[in-house]
Amino acid sequence: MALYPLTSNFEGDFVLQLLPVDTENTMDEVAAAAAVHSVGRRVRDRPGCILRVRRQDAQEFFPRTMKVAESGLKPTETVEIIWQAA
Amino acid sequence: MAVLNRMDWYDLARTTNWTPSYVTEDELFPPKLSGDFGLPQNAWEKYDEPYKQTYPEYVKVQRDKDAGAYSVKAALERSRIFENADPGWKSVMKAHYGAIARGEYAAASAEARMMRFSKAPGMRNMSTLGCLDEIRHGQMQLYFPHEHVSKDRQMDWAFKAYDTNEWAMIAARHFFDDIMMTRDAISVSIMLTFSFETGFTNMQFLGLAADAAEAGDHTFANLISSIQTDESRHAQIGGPALKVLIENGQKAEAQKRVDIAVWGAWKLFSVLTGPIMDYYTPLEHRKQSFKEFMEEWIVAQFERALTDMGLDLPWYWDIFLKDIAQTHHGMHLGAYYWRPTLWWNPAAGVTPDERAWLEEKYPGWNDTWGQCWDVFIDNVVDGNMAKAYPETLPYVCNMCQLPILGTPGKGWNVKDYPLEYKGRLYHFGSEVDRWVFEQEPERYAGHLSIVDRFLAGMIQPMDLGGALQYMGLAPGEIGDDAHNYAWAEIYRALRAAKKAS
Ligand SMILES: [Fe+2]
Ligand SMILES: [Fe+2]
């Protein structure tokens, strides 16, 4: 359990944002935490979609249950939060 | 008694280089401060300033300029222009004074560096006058807003801003420290006068003067036109220095300094001037869009200034040409969304009429930035204000210190440009910002952005209140919507009409 800063690049939003998460958070929890700062503020919700997390420029998403501690992400590294049809 | 014509004695009178005998040349002109680029003193003596003015001429002209600007101010003092101005226009004045006034004062010391340490006598003469110019600009742009301080606490930021850790001020200081406070005399002449002043102050001051006259603020229009006449003179200090460098095989070093300074100036203008021109200035008073101004002043005129000089266009010119239609929309949305962190009240500038103008000037605006604003507007109309303010920090660039942003909505292209250097992960807003860092990493590596400071625990408590306190924003100074959201009424009415039909 440790506070861990990431940078959120949320699909459809216009700016990178500081995203404080926990090393024990899963990628679904990271996506949900990122959504708090974008969805309903500057990005419309997309019913029927889930949010996936990937490294910037990566093709593959992180597994949804993978923990931040297992991801190899560096502190403040940018993750892309991408809408995916459920 | 007959007086010699100026041109009969000017060149001789300013030939003030001599061969030092009590100290070495390096002690008289320390290379770190003079920036001789390894060229001998006589190479610098070929510096030929295009604008030759003597001190008596200078004093006479400046006295007339001051008399003009101050008398317009005095004549209009009781006209209540400030009280009756559109709140968007007041924000223009607050943003301008805070960002510029004390920077002018700082520029006086940059001019003083050229005045003392340049090996080119002509440059020393021109920058003596330039230094006096900048003192005048600092003083005027503190004196003029002072009349409004008692009416509006945010006007106090004309003086206060420069000493604070407000984020836009950190950005402005980082840029000006880089191009004018921490460079040798020759680099100052290239980066401050040639790159920044020729290219960009023209736009801020002439563009704004046109908008001010349209808005009926003749005091402000006169003030900044008066300043610009000085700028267009001392902006010419850099040109002849570039000529000397290019003739002596130093084009690459000269070009690099131009490229660095032009990019930084562009980023600063995208946050300061872009929102002012395309969002704060009332629609009926807008002369041209920000992009049109950029195309006229920077693309057409500055491009010519570069090529006339024998320089190349900066390597990133294609990126720049694309960004002048995009970046400032994000800077506006960012500054507006994080508005409690401003010392002015930003105007949203997104009524249906204003959006139609934006769509016309920037085709696709509604499908990109407009999509973000749609969500924001719904929140205002619904009274859901909790979602209309931020709860975290935007990530800022480790070079320009401004939010890392791109185009949202259907044109989503937001991207981080990271770089790991000596174990620390840096983030940049563009390939160009990262390139600037890579030119001289040790110059920039130690600086902490506002986000770095937050993560280092330097901002306490770690919430909005702590951040505002860190930025020096006292109650009564914290920014909010310029029109207190009155503009949202039309959206409320549109929604009601839609429901009824
Ligand atoms: Fe100035
Ligand atoms: Fe200047």
Side-chain angles (χ1 to χ4, degrees), chain B residues 238-369:
Chain B
L242 283 167
K243 234 179 245 164
V244 172
L245 289 174
I246 292 166
E247 276 166 15
N248 288 279
Q250 297 287 330
K251 180 179 163 182
E253 284 299 310
Q255 181 82 47
K256 189 161 91 178
R257 281 162 180 74
V258 170
D259 292 0
I260 291 171
V262 167
W263 185 258
W266 150 242
K267 292 302 280 281
L268 203 57
F269 271 66
S270 76
V271 72
L272 179 66
T273 319
I276 281 177
M277 288 191 173
D278 282 357
Y279 293 90
Y280 299 0
T281 300
L283 189 54
E284 63 274 22
H285 298 322
R286 288 179 204 163
K287 289 290 247 191
Q288 279 175 302
S289 71
F290 178 63
K291 176 170 175 269
E292 287 162 349
F293 261 109
M294 290 295 293
E295 278 168 349
E296 182 175 338
W297 291 102
I298 311 295
V299 181
Q301 300 208 18
F302 191 56
E303 251 189 50
R304 202 173 340 119
L306 281 170
T307 44
D308 284 356
M309 199 56 67
L311 289 167
D312 302 324
L313 293 180
W315 63 269
Y316 52 73
W317 212 239
D318 289 345
I319 300 174
F320 170 73
L321 291 179
K322 236 180 269 152
D323 282 2
I324 60 175
Q326 302 185 13
T327 306
H328 70 291
H329 297 300
M331 291 294 176
H332 172 59
L333 179 51
Y336 184 88
Y337 197 79
W338 274 266
R339 59 203 175 285
T341 65
L342 304 176
W343 69 82
W344 68 89
N345 301 323
V350 290
T351 61
D353 284 350
E354 289 165 322
R355 291 177 69 144
W357 183 87
L358 286 162
E359 183 68 37
E360 183 203 320
K361 299 290 184 186
Y362 303 94
W365 188 94
N366 277 305
D367 275 344
T368 49
W369 288 279

Side-chain angles (χ1 to χ4, degrees), chain B residues 337-477:
Chain B
Y337 197 79
W338 274 266
R339 59 203 175 285
T341 65
L342 304 176
W343 69 82
W344 68 89
N345 301 323
V350 290
T351 61
D353 284 350
E354 289 165 322
R355 291 177 69 144
W357 183 87
L358 286 162
E359 183 68 37
E360 183 203 320
K361 299 290 184 186
Y362 303 94
W365 188 94
N366 277 305
D367 275 344
T368 49
W369 288 279
Q371 290 204 333
C372 290
W373 281 103
D374 286 340
V375 180
F376 179 83
I377 290 165
D378 280 353
N379 285 332
V380 175
V381 170
D382 293 337
N384 189 8
M385 294 310 285
K387 292 263 182 178
Y389 291 99
E391 286 181 67
T392 188
L393 297 174
Y395 217 99
V396 303
C397 171
N398 280 113
M399 181 52 58
C400 71
Q401 311 296 320
L402 298 170
I404 298 173
L405 47 79
T407 301
K410 289 187 186 163
W412 187 59
N413 66 2
V414 185
K415 203 167 142 52
D416 183 20
Y417 294 82
L419 178 75
E420 215 171 311
Y421 178 76
K422 293 194 175 169
R424 181 175 154 196
L425 183 59
Y426 294 83
H427 299 271
F428 299 97
S430 69
E431 204 182 323
V432 191
D433 288 286
R434 185 168 61 187
W435 171 83
V436 173
F437 183 92
E438 287 172 320
Q439 299 316 298
E440 216 180 323
E442 281 306 304
R443 182 176 180 79
Y444 306 106
H447 186 270
L448 296 178
S449 74
I450 189 95
V451 176
D452 295 327
R453 296 177 203 192
F454 182 79
L455 292 173
M458 291 162 69
I459 300 173
Q460 294 293 342
M462 290 177 86
D463 56 19
L464 182 65
L468 294 179
Q469 204 181 337
Y470 183 78
M471 295 188 206
L473 282 150
E477 299 174 352

Side-chain angles (χ1 to χ4, degrees), chain B residues 134 197 231 234:
Chain B
E134 301 298 12
E197 288 175 339
E231 293 297 325
H234 69 235

Side-chain angles (χ1 to χ4, degrees), chain B residues 138-154:
Chain B
Q139 289 177 340
M140 286 177 107
Q141 287 174 103
L142 291 176
Y143 179 69
F144 278 54
H146 187 259
E147 125 184 47
H148 306 303
V149 173
S150 60
K151 304 169 214 162
D152 188 329
R153 269 197 72 79
Q154 288 178 329

Side-chain angles (χ1 to χ4, degrees), chain A residues 5 7 9-18 20 37 39-44 56-57 74-78 82, chain B residues 330 334 337-338 372 374-375 378-379 387 389 391-395 404-406 408-409 412 414-416 420 427:
Chain A
T7 302
N9 186 7
F10 199 97
E11 184 181 0
D13 208 347
F14 80 106
V15 68
L16 301 189
Q17 298 182 94
L18 178 64
H37 299 295
V39 176
R41 293 175 187 273
R42 295 171 305 270
V43 179
R44 277 211 200 289
Q56 173 163 294
D57 298 328
K74 292 173 220 140
T76 79
E77 190 169 343
T78 297
I82 304 292
Chain B
Y337 197 79
W338 274 266
C372 290
D374 286 340
V375 180
D378 280 353
N379 285 332
K387 292 263 182 178
Y389 291 99
E391 286 181 67
T392 188
L393 297 174
Y395 217 99
I404 298 173
L405 47 79
W412 187 59
V414 185
K415 203 167 142 52
D416 183 20
E420 215 171 311
H427 299 271

